[in-house]
Amino acid sequence: MTYTHCPYCSLQCGMRLTGRRTPQVAEWPEFPVNRGALCRKGWSAAGLYGGRERLTTPLVRDRATGELSPVSWDEALDLVAGRLVALRAERGPDSVAVFGGGGLTNEKAYQLGKLARVALGTSQIDYNGRWCMSSAASAGLRAFGLDRGLPFPLADVEQADVVVLVGSNLAETMPPAARHLDALRARGGRVVVVDPRRTPTAERADVVVQPVPGSDLALALGVLHLLVAGGLVDEEYVAARTTGWADVRESVAGWWPERVERVTGVPADEVRALADRLGGAPKVVVLTARGAEQHSTGSDTVLAWINVALALGMPGTPGAGYGCLTGQGNGQGGREHGQKADQLPGYRMIDDPAAREHVAGVWGVDPDSLPGKGRSAYELLDALGQPDGPSALLVFGSNIVVSAPRATHVTQRLESLDLLVVADMVLSETAALADVVLPVTQWAEETGTMTNLEGRVVLRQQAITPPAGVRSDLEVIAALASRLGSAGVFSTDPEAVFAELGRASAGGKADYAGITYDRIRDEHGVFWPCPDAAHPGTPRMFLDSFAHPDGRARFLAVEHRGPAEVPCDDYPVHLTTGRVLAQYQSGAQTRRVRDLPDTGPFVELHPMLAGRIGAVDGEPVTVTTRRGTMTAPARVVATIRPDTVFVPFHWVGANRLTNDALDPASRMPEFKVCAAAVSA
Ligand code: SF4
């Protein structure tokens, strides 16, 4: 019997696994985050094992036949290292790039950043978490001085009087978390959902607001306008705990409800009712998720909602505040330990001389040898194979072909590389393009830590014996570093890597120095920052001060700009994308679990739109944008706006359509809205 955590989303539900060869999932009722509850994906997680598609030997593409053929580990690693060394000699260290994932353990994310900076000497490293929470991270850093998705335990939302979910379909993406909404309503609290689709989360809400995709920012400006006009701003809190209010107050002066209605499609009276509800509630929690964040204006949209929360006096107040619901399993930890283009471990910035000196000291290298800031995820992929871009890419924990925006273009970039190396457990769509595929362990076959959406560091413990022939990512990284002649020491023991990560993070914003595997086991996880062994960890942040040097939060004025693409004669509707209950991210894992229904992609549209184009439920419809086209069965539902279509992104297709317009601050692509044409 092993106590561990689900392989999927950021809730990181606790579970027990029995059986060394064919694991069975059982409840872990004492783990506080989910109290034994799991969603369908969690209950069926053992189905990840035993599939015939599991890779157990390295594969190398034969240049003559174009086929992938089995080789030994030594052959594969020697080939990869040899070609990387040759490329570096010919074109410099930035000719090699690394792409990580928000599902990797903290240990892997840390070691991947070290591989890039120390063994490869490249600045070209980023990860798919850039496409997940980066807009909220950017906004949180600017407003609060620190980015931790939820600055309080998730259960605290039960204490609020009103919870506002902006762009979150929590009831479908992480169902065990929805019990907190039910508990809040049972004691008289209210739930507000802001989403263009009437999702299963909206079904549990008291108020549902359905703005036009890409207009959440304008809605927040309108709410703040009304809070000011109604004298509902907590002036005492604003004066004591914030700066920048005067500018923000002035910036919302022109956002009267009728103007908000014109921009968002939300009736002015609904905007007024929402502002009254928030202004009259003693405790409000505002939560954003991908629906608000995956836009070219995502950072500003989050800042606009943070401004609302600050004006109400909520952040840093027990049972109230602002938070981001992270998505990927290690969406939080993945952005703290160095696989992001601009960061070093501990949420340190790579252009900070003191940070470079500290981390270089832990790594035993000269600070001047560390490269600087690299390209963000999409910009990195867009540069592949280009005259000034990388010629080789190492991919760990990511299925780029399915998850990248403007995916056809990105796939062409991958195909133009001199060398594509993918470490994965199955032949994902991205691995199928690779020159070298490295079969690696996953989830219950290995040990490592994850940091859940609350900033709680949890321990996934090895429960089963991996199949013969596979290696852990840590072993692959160490083997490559050794072949590259790296000066750094690359342990393959997760606990030793975690201890080193703790030293590298010491004194940083995300300080893990006081966290150990034993403490995590004993305490049901430990919240960062936790700077030393005697420190209890920090479940609730900002109670006394924010993380800026003056201890105050920042109001930051933002303006509505709208999406990069708006409907026109040729592309008359909005396209938005998202998830469904039975699948997770690119589906590389969940599409292979027999007990999870694989419906394939579909196009959700309103009966009015279906009638106009002659679409019939279950029959094919084609969606076209300026970047691509896809055809899938129609799902005709009255729960979506008539001017919007929705496509889930777990299958190849949806991201052929999406827009690569980037947020200027977070470099988040605009996954959540673009202009589209739809035909039967
Ligand atoms: Fe929990 Fe998320 Fe796993 Fe479902 S997918 S069991 S909500 S961690």
Side-chain angles (χ1 to χ4, degrees):
M1 170 82 66
T2 306
Y3 290 83
T4 189
H5 297 270
C6 174
Y8 305 120
C9 87
S10 65
L11 203 55
Q12 283 300 290
C13 293
M15 59 170 62
R16 293 176 298 151
L17 288 179
T18 58
R20 287 296 290 177
R21 294 214 165 270
T22 46
Q24 299 292 322
V25 172
E27 288 181 353
W28 180 2
E30 298 80 23
F31 187 69
V33 175
N34 57 311
R35 297 269 172 222
L38 298 169
C39 77
R40 190 172 189 170
K41 295 189 287 287
W43 281 119
S44 62
L48 286 169
Y49 295 107
R52 285 193 304 276
E53 295 177 65
R54 184 68 192 271
L55 297 174
T56 54
T57 180
L59 303 172
V60 170
R61 193 171 301 280
D62 183 317
R63 290 203 157 171
T65 66
E67 299 294 318
L68 287 167
S69 307
V71 296
S72 71
W73 271 100
D74 278 342
E75 280 177 272
L77 292 168
D78 288 347
L79 185 152
V80 171
R83 288 176 71 180
L84 294 181
V85 168
L87 269 175
R88 276 195 318 182
E90 192 186 322
R91 299 196 51 229
D94 278 358
S95 63
V96 177
V98 179
F99 201 88
L104 298 175
T105 62
N106 289 316
E107 292 80 355
K108 294 180 187 181
Y110 169 82
Q111 209 73 324
L112 207 51
K114 184 173 164 185
L115 175 79
R117 274 67 178 244
V118 175
L120 293 165
T122 181
S123 67
Q124 302 297 297
I125 176 169
D126 213 65
Y127 79 126
N128 64 20
R130 176 78 70 172
W131 302 334
C132 202
M133 295 76 51
S134 61
S135 289
S138 161
L141 276 174
R142 292 180 66 199
F144 305 126
L146 188 142
D147 153 44
R148 199 181 86 184
L150 290 180
F152 43 75
L154 186 60
D156 280 14
V157 304
E158 293 181 17
Q159 299 164 27
D161 299 287
V162 178
V163 170
V164 186
L165 291 156
V166 189
S168 165
N169 184 8
L170 166 151
E172 198 165 4
T173 54
M174 51 176 74
R179 72 194 159 94
H180 298 302
L181 304 183
D182 298 340
L184 171 141
R185 293 179 76 200
R187 46 160 288 272
R190 294 287 176 257
V191 174
V192 177
V193 166
V194 178
D195 198 313
R197 299 167 64 220
R198 202 176 172 94
T199 63
T201 310
E203 296 308 319
R204 305 168 99 116
D206 301 281
V207 177
V208 181
V209 179
Q210 288 187 271
V212 171
S215 67
D216 294 332
L217 198 165
L219 181 65
L221 297 177
V223 168
L224 191 49
H225 169 98
L226 288 165
L227 293 177
V228 174
L232 296 168
V233 172
D234 185 340
E235 300 286 356
E236 202 178 315
Y237 172 98
V238 167
R241 301 208 58 185
T242 72
T243 64
W245 171 233
D247 284 349
V248 168
R249 185 178 53 208
E250 197 179 320
S251 73
V252 298
W255 284 94
W256 54 90
E258 286 71 20
R259 181 180 173 200
V260 175
E261 177 176 336
R262 279 202 301 279
V263 173
T264 65
V266 178
D269 284 348
E270 281 188 28
V271 183
R272 287 191 187 91
L274 176 58
D276 287 347
R277 187 176 287 280
L278 298 186
K283 288 186 179 180
V284 175
V285 170
V286 178
L287 300 173
T288 63
R290 307 303 81 70
E293 299 160 11
Q294 288 180 321
H295 293 272
S296 59
T297 57
S299 302
D300 284 355
T301 300
V302 175
L303 283 171
W305 284 100
I306 289 176
N307 287 342
V308 169
L310 288 171
L312 292 166
M314 300 301 158
T317 301
Y322 162 80
C324 153
L325 295 165
T326 52
Q328 294 192 79
N330 200 23
Q332 183 66 48
R335 65 185 189 251
E336 296 165 356
H337 299 298
Q339 62 174 335
K340 208 170 166 201
D342 54 357
Q343 280 179 9
L344 290 172
Y347 226 129
R348 291 182 154 94
M349 303 317 288
I350 201 162
D351 52 7
D352 172 2
R356 294 169 67 87
E357 190 170 338
H358 173 84
V359 175
V362 174
W363 287 347
V365 299
D366 179 352
D368 291 338
S369 71
L370 299 180
K373 183 174 161 181
R375 293 178 170 95
S376 75
Y378 182 77
E379 291 161 303
L380 174 58
L381 297 179
D382 192 29
L384 296 177
Q386 302 309 292
D388 61 344
S391 314
L393 181 69
L394 310 181
V395 181
F396 289 79
S398 189
N399 189 7
I400 295 165
V401 168
V402 179
S403 59
R406 200 183 167 197
T408 306
H409 171 75
V410 168
T411 301
Q412 288 164 354
R413 290 288 198 251
L414 291 171
E415 288 168 342
S416 72
L417 285 166
D418 288 349
L419 177 67
L420 174 62
V421 180
V422 176
D424 209 327
M425 57 171 268
V426 292
L427 200 65
S428 69
E429 287 81 357
T430 308
L433 294 181
D435 300 292
V436 181
V437 182
L438 303 173
V440 289
T441 52
Q442 59 149 345
W443 183 45
E445 296 164 351
E446 56 187 18
T447 293
T449 60
M450 309 285 280
T451 305
N452 85 342
L453 78 174
E454 309 166 289
R456 184 195 305 255
V457 185
V458 301
L459 183 61
R460 281 190 189 167
Q461 309 199 82
Q462 185 183 356
I464 63 171
T465 310
V470 304
R471 293 191 181 180
S472 73
D473 286 312
L474 294 182
E475 288 171 332
V476 172
I477 290 169
L480 285 176
S482 151
R483 282 169 171 77
L484 292 165
S486 172
V489 175
F490 286 80
S491 174
T492 58
D493 171 19
E495 193 162 7
V497 175
F498 188 74
E500 183 185 312
L501 177 163
R503 293 195 296 280
S505 75
K509 287 186 170 166
D511 191 333
Y512 283 43
I515 307 177
T516 63
Y517 278 18
D518 283 342
R519 277 194 68 179
I520 298 173
R521 284 189 197 98
D522 293 346
E523 299 172 30
H524 286 149
V526 181
F527 291 83
W528 70 260
C530 180
D532 57 64
H535 193 283
T538 314
R540 293 172 186 83
M541 310 190 78
F542 311 143
L543 295 178
D544 301 316
S545 72
F546 294 97
H548 286 300
D550 61 3
R552 289 168 176 260
R554 303 282 185 269
F555 274 104
L556 293 154
V558 290
E559 259 307 327
H560 168 73
R561 299 194 300 281
E565 269 183 14
V566 290
C568 59
D569 288 347
D570 293 336
Y571 301 99
V573 299
H574 302 280
L575 167 71
T576 189
T577 61
R579 294 202 260 155
V580 298
L581 172 62
Q583 299 294 328
Y584 175 69
Q585 303 302 79
S586 80
Q589 294 161 292
T590 46
R591 281 188 274 125
R592 291 173 168 86
V593 173
R594 221 181 13 231
D595 291 342
L596 290 174
D598 183 353
T599 60
F602 57 86
V603 179
E604 191 178 287
L605 71 169
H606 192 276
M608 282 165 57
L609 177 57
R612 206 160 63 234
I613 65 168
V616 176
D617 191 62
E619 298 295 321
V621 292
T622 297
V623 184
T624 306
T625 71
R626 289 182 175 86
R627 292 153 294 281
T629 189
M630 71 171 283
T631 299
R635 221 176 250 192
V636 181
V637 295
T639 49
I640 191 167
R641 290 180 58 92
D643 57 6
T644 302
V645 296
F646 166 83
V647 180
F649 63 69
H650 310 291
W651 297 269
V652 170
N655 277 319
R656 289 182 183 154
L657 309 174
T658 49
N659 196 348
D660 57 354
L662 300 181
D663 181 290
S666 66
R667 317 310 284 166
M668 166 75 85
E670 191 146 71
F671 287 102
K672 277 292 186 274
V673 61
C674 64
V678 54
S679 58

